[in-house]
Amino acid sequence: MSGQPNGGGMHRLQDVGPRSVAIVGPYGSGKSTVFEALMAAGGAPIRRGDPKTRRMGTEMRLGHCTFLGDAWSILDCPGSVEFAFEQSAALGAVDVAVVVCEPSPAKAILVGPLLRQLDARKIPHLIFINKIETLEGRVQATLEALQAFSQVPLALRQVPIREGGPVTGYVDVVSERAYRYRKGQPSEVIAVPAAVRARELEVRGVLLERLADHNDVLLEKLIEEIAPTSEEIYGQLRADLAADAVVEVLLGAAETDNGIQRLWKTLRHDAPEAAATAARLGIGAGGDAVIQVFKTVYAGHTGKLSFSRILRGPLKDGAMLGGVRLGGIYRYPGADSVKVPQAEAGEVVALGRLDGIATGMTIGAAPLPFPTPAAPVYALAIATGDRNDDVKRAGALRRVMEEDLSITISHDATLAQTVLHGQGEMHLSVAVERLGKGVGTKVTTLPPKIAYRETIGKAVQQHGRLKRQTGGHGQFADVTIDIAPRGRGEGFLFVDKIVGGVVPRNFIPSVGEAAEEATRKGPLGNPVVDIAVSLVDGTFHAVDSSDMAFKTATGMAMREGMARAEPVLLEPVDRVRVVVPSDFTPRAQRLLTGRRGQILGFSEAPDAPGWDEIEALVPQAELHDLIIELRSQTMGLGTYRRSFDHLAQTRGPGR
Ligand SMILES: Nc1nc2c(ncn2[C@@H]2O[C@H](COP(=O)(O)OP(=O)(O)OP(=O)(O)O)[C@@H](O)[C@H]2O)c(=O)[nH]1
Ligand SMILES: [Mg+2]
């Protein structure tokens, strides 16, 4: 091995304690490949390129390894927007994040939401431009495209070397050493090629300028054209990363291990120590262990596992955490977990049997912030199975929600349906699969039913009469009611207009109740809304009249009357706020109008410069698969929120 290029700050590297890193980035950028390459370089016996894990990542993966004597916990996060909450949750559990992306300016926009989140949460991060051998054009173009989405200045740390064709190596602009990639081996040191010398100096100049923004000594040296020491550069890089003041941008190709040693060394030198992260979160040293749970999993044999960041340690197995006795601490040195007696501050581990302790909870200190899942954008009803499974199913549903806070469940008694809400087809299919395991049978799903309502188009008067002679005494009641439409949203109203006691006082409430009960199912089969029912006349019998008889007579009058009153189907219409990068605004508008949407307007999205928010009124019946089309037309970036707005007259579902 060549000498330690990063000699600066050596003494600090003794005993920094364990640290944690999250590998994040858009779908398919190579995060799992980076994870595996880092683990392998850290001596972990991990299978590389397992097709099972190379399927679209749907769940976070945890690994533990050691690089040059430092212990690391690594989180491999899924990249699909449908699993964005996994990334958000993981980001709160680490000292540093590595944003993996592709060397393509056109794809930089996919990293935008993540960079915005990292800046907003002040999470130290660096960027790893992966698949560098596929680079076309200049890396500078990708850098500039990425910069447009980062509030914090980006600084390229490496300049690619091309010997005629694709990228074959790089110059590290801090050490000013050149390396040629070798497949599956550490890169070899070569002389800095003359062709990249000028570019290297330029990129180094930019990096130094960025660092000098936060360092007067460095700034003075730059002005006086004195070369800063490596020590000064490394020190400032570390400080700027910790403060999220500069984002280092590294290059590589994880599949062939290229750039992985450089990435590891950068993490080792520049990532904040766990104590600094704890301090950033307001957790002081000394005292009982502090943990935050960021993910819960029900694993077959181990039972409940709470993936947690240890913010203050040590944490010993069997310790009391929030009144619960800890039943197992697990690390993941390879594909399988191992049980350990103790874990240290800075680690991410799985904790066993923390009953009653939920994702997001902080134990041992005041609650730390935890991200809130995005509003659901896709829903599926689950087919009602065997009644006997109800209890089992309720338990399984609860666990599905515990395992994934971005899944919610609603139950609509009127429609007799249970609905799962989440972030998309893939997201829900994972949840449904888990649900199936929980109940022990395959769970089938269907599009949720729409909560149609109905009302009437005109006022009618209706007479209803019950006269029955059965055995002993009979049943008698006679009512005349007016049924009239009311304004949208005004609800049901019962009015007593009886004069002269033609219907005795004590029977009148029963008439009101029966009228309201009759609105549960109107002539079109839906609940009836926005009508007024007035009792205007009636007769009674001193012996044969009863509450029951008046209810029956009213029910008959309601059924006949409503059917004659021009029943009208009403459909729920939601207020929808679609958020897309502004380039996609016209498409999103077309999509909404194509779904019977009425556009109310659009404006710049709050907290998302360059994005628009389009507001529209759209019938719920058109929203079921809106997210699928929206994503397919917006590179997966578009999203929306919805809330019920009003009921509108419609020709019905069979239009
Ligand atoms: N050309 C090239 N392809 C790569 C490189 N690294 C990864 N890939 C490929 O990129 C694809 C996606 O890799 P993954 O590691 O699964 O990507 P990911 O970011 O984990 O994907 P998700 O978890 O689904 O978001 C795979 O086909 C990899 O073989 C690389 O350095 N060069
Ligand atoms: Mg992956």
Side-chain angles (χ1 to χ4, degrees):
M1 275 237 45
S2 58
Q4 258 285 352
N6 298 348
M10 275 297 271
H11 63 282
R12 189 192 73 97
L13 295 177
Q14 323 276 296
D15 199 23
V16 292
R19 283 176 283 177
S20 301
V21 52
I23 315 297
V24 293
Y27 162 65
S29 54
K31 297 173 296 298
S32 298
T33 314
V34 168
F35 170 87
E36 287 166 14
L38 288 172
M39 287 286 283
I46 190 159
R47 266 182 71 190
R48 308 281 302 269
D50 187 335
K52 260 197 345 224
T53 56
R54 285 296 165 80
R55 276 190 332 203
M56 175 169 137
T58 58
E59 207 170 0
M60 186 209 85
R61 191 161 46 141
L62 172 61
H64 291 91
C65 66
T66 303
F67 182 75
L68 298 180
D70 295 343
W72 286 88
S73 308
I74 314 180
L75 287 168
D76 173 20
C77 300
S80 155
V81 286
E82 297 188 29
F83 299 91
F85 186 67
E86 294 264 302
Q87 286 206 2
S88 298
L91 287 174
V94 294
D95 303 291
V96 64
V98 173
V99 177
V100 179
C101 64
E102 295 185 49
S104 148
K107 288 189 177 175
I109 193 169
L110 301 177
V111 196
L114 180 59
L115 292 177
R116 196 161 63 221
Q117 179 179 181
L118 288 161
D119 287 340
R121 293 171 68 186
K122 292 238 164 299
I123 294 171
H125 58 284
L126 45 89
I127 294 177
F128 183 76
I129 303 182
N130 188 35
K131 309 189 186 182
I132 197 67
E133 85 286 3
T134 67
L135 174 69
E136 286 172 14
R138 301 181 58 201
V139 77
Q140 183 65 24
T142 300
L143 189 79
E144 279 165 18
L146 288 168
Q147 182 65 72
F149 301 105
S150 174
Q151 280 169 19
V152 178
L154 309 183
L156 197 57
R157 172 75 193 264
Q158 294 163 291
V159 171
I161 297 175
R162 284 195 252 213
E163 294 162 289
V167 177
T168 54
Y170 66 90
V171 186
D172 176 352
V173 301
V174 179
S175 69
E176 303 201 270
R177 281 165 189 258
Y179 297 83
R180 181 182 283 135
Y181 292 138
R182 291 188 296 185
K183 194 175 175 192
Q185 287 182 61
S187 307
E188 77 180 302
V189 180
I190 56 169
V192 177
V196 294
R197 184 67 188 153
R199 176 76 183 128
E200 183 267 310
L201 285 173
E202 185 191 334
V203 171
R204 179 181 164 91
V206 173
L207 175 68
L208 294 181
E209 267 173 40
R210 302 246 140 122
L211 295 178
D213 283 344
H214 309 277
N215 184 323
D216 292 342
V217 178
L218 216 53
L219 184 62
E220 235 163 83
K221 285 196 168 179
L222 284 193
I223 293 168
E224 290 169 24
E225 296 189 23
I226 303 170
T229 65
S230 307
E231 196 98 6
E232 284 168 325
I233 301 176
Y234 289 125
Q236 195 55 40
L237 271 176
R238 191 183 307 139
D240 281 354
L241 177 67
D244 190 24
V246 165
V247 175
E248 278 182 79
V249 179
L250 305 180
L251 313 175
E255 201 150 61
T256 41
D257 288 318
N258 296 328
I260 291 299
Q261 289 288 324
R262 177 69 267 153
L263 174 60
W264 252 137
K265 286 184 180 166
T266 304
L267 286 171
R268 178 169 192 259
H269 284 87
D270 297 350
E273 293 171 28
T277 304
R280 167 165 68 85
L281 297 170
I283 309 274
D288 287 344
V290 175
I291 64 152
Q292 187 177 30
V293 181
F294 66 95
K295 181 171 176 66
T296 302
V297 169
Y298 284 90
H301 52 292
T302 16
K304 179 178 173 178
L305 288 177
S306 305
F307 286 82
S308 308
R309 161 75 170 190
I310 304 179
L311 289 145
R312 188 161 69 204
L315 176 67
K316 293 190 165 67
D317 193 8
M320 294 302 287
L321 281 176
V324 184
R325 187 165 303 283
L326 174 57
I329 302 177
Y330 302 89
R331 287 203 191 108
Y332 295 78
D336 298 316
S337 61
V338 292
K339 205 164 179 224
V340 294
Q342 177 171 322
E344 311 299 328
E347 286 191 75
V348 169
V349 288
L351 302 177
R353 308 205 185 289
L354 293 182
D355 292 332
I357 293 179
T359 301
M361 280 186 171
T362 308
I363 317 285
L368 291 168
F370 193 70
T372 343
V377 292
Y378 189 72
L380 283 175
I382 49 183
T384 39
D386 193 341
R387 282 243 158 245
N388 298 329
D389 284 349
D390 276 5
V391 174
K392 215 170 168 189
R393 199 174 73 161
L397 281 170
R398 207 176 43 244
R399 280 196 296 280
V400 164
M401 285 199 290
E402 269 185 70
E403 289 190 304
D404 186 347
L405 299 189
S406 60
I407 297 275
T408 50
I409 291 162
S410 65
H411 186 77
D412 186 317
T414 312
L415 296 172
Q417 71 175 356
T418 300
V419 179
L420 288 182
H421 306 262
Q423 290 301 313
E425 280 179 305
M426 180 62 97
H427 185 218
L428 287 190
S429 81
V430 169
V432 166
E433 201 181 304
R434 281 200 201 118
L435 185 61
K437 278 191 191 142
V439 291
T441 57
K442 199 173 160 332
V443 172
T444 48
T445 57
L446 53 170
K449 284 180 263 182
I450 302 295
Y452 289 101
R453 295 288 180 264
E454 58 187 80
T455 189
I456 54 173
K458 68 167 191 192
V460 294
Q461 188 165 84
Q462 180 67 45
H463 177 229
R465 182 181 179 90
L466 174 73
K467 187 172 183 196
R468 213 175 273 163
Q469 205 62 53
T470 45
H473 70 83
Q475 294 180 49
F476 180 84
D478 181 295
V479 294
T480 300
I481 52 176
D482 280 349
I483 311 175
R486 301 188 80 199
R488 233 10 28 83
E490 286 182 14
F492 173 83
L493 179 70
F494 174 70
V495 190
D496 164 22
K497 291 190 178 162
I498 292 300
V499 281
V502 289
V503 176
R505 294 277 94 205
N506 55 316
F507 294 137
I508 291 175
S510 294
V511 174
E513 276 167 38
E516 189 159 12
E517 268 165 34
T519 65
R520 282 190 204 149
K521 191 167 180 179
L524 304 177
N526 307 289
V528 181
V529 296
D530 303 337
I531 60 166
V533 177
S534 311
L535 177 62
V536 292
D537 200 1
T539 50
F540 74 104
H541 185 277
V543 178
D544 291 349
S545 281
S546 65
D547 280 327
M548 220 29 246
F550 271 98
K551 278 194 167 176
T552 308
T554 306
M556 287 158 49
M558 284 294 290
R559 259 189 311 283
E560 271 177 64
M562 287 192 300
R564 283 175 43 234
E566 290 175 4
V568 175
L569 190 65
L570 297 175
E571 69 172 338
V573 175
D574 282 6
R575 183 170 294 251
V576 174
R577 292 179 177 85
V578 172
V579 179
V580 291
S582 43
D583 284 354
F584 296 110
T585 302
R587 280 196 204 191
Q589 285 177 327
R590 274 198 299 280
L591 197 148
L592 290 167
T593 42
R595 288 173 179 252
R596 297 191 287 140
Q598 180 198 338
I599 309 276
L600 301 175
F602 74 94
S603 53
E604 182 155 300
D607 335 307
W611 289 54
D612 280 339
E613 183 176 281
I614 304 142
E615 201 172 347
L617 294 172
V618 190
Q620 271 181 17
E622 302 283 346
L623 292 176
H624 172 58
D625 60 354
L626 174 71
I627 192 65
I628 297 170
E629 199 182 341
L630 182 62
R631 283 186 181 140
S632 84
Q633 296 207 15
T634 59
M635 294 173 75
L637 290 161
T639 185
Y640 75 93
R641 283 171 299 139
R642 60 193 270 191
S643 56
F644 172 74
D645 193 80
H646 67 278
L647 288 167
Q649 202 167 325
T650 175
R651 270 167 297 152
R655 83 191 118 60

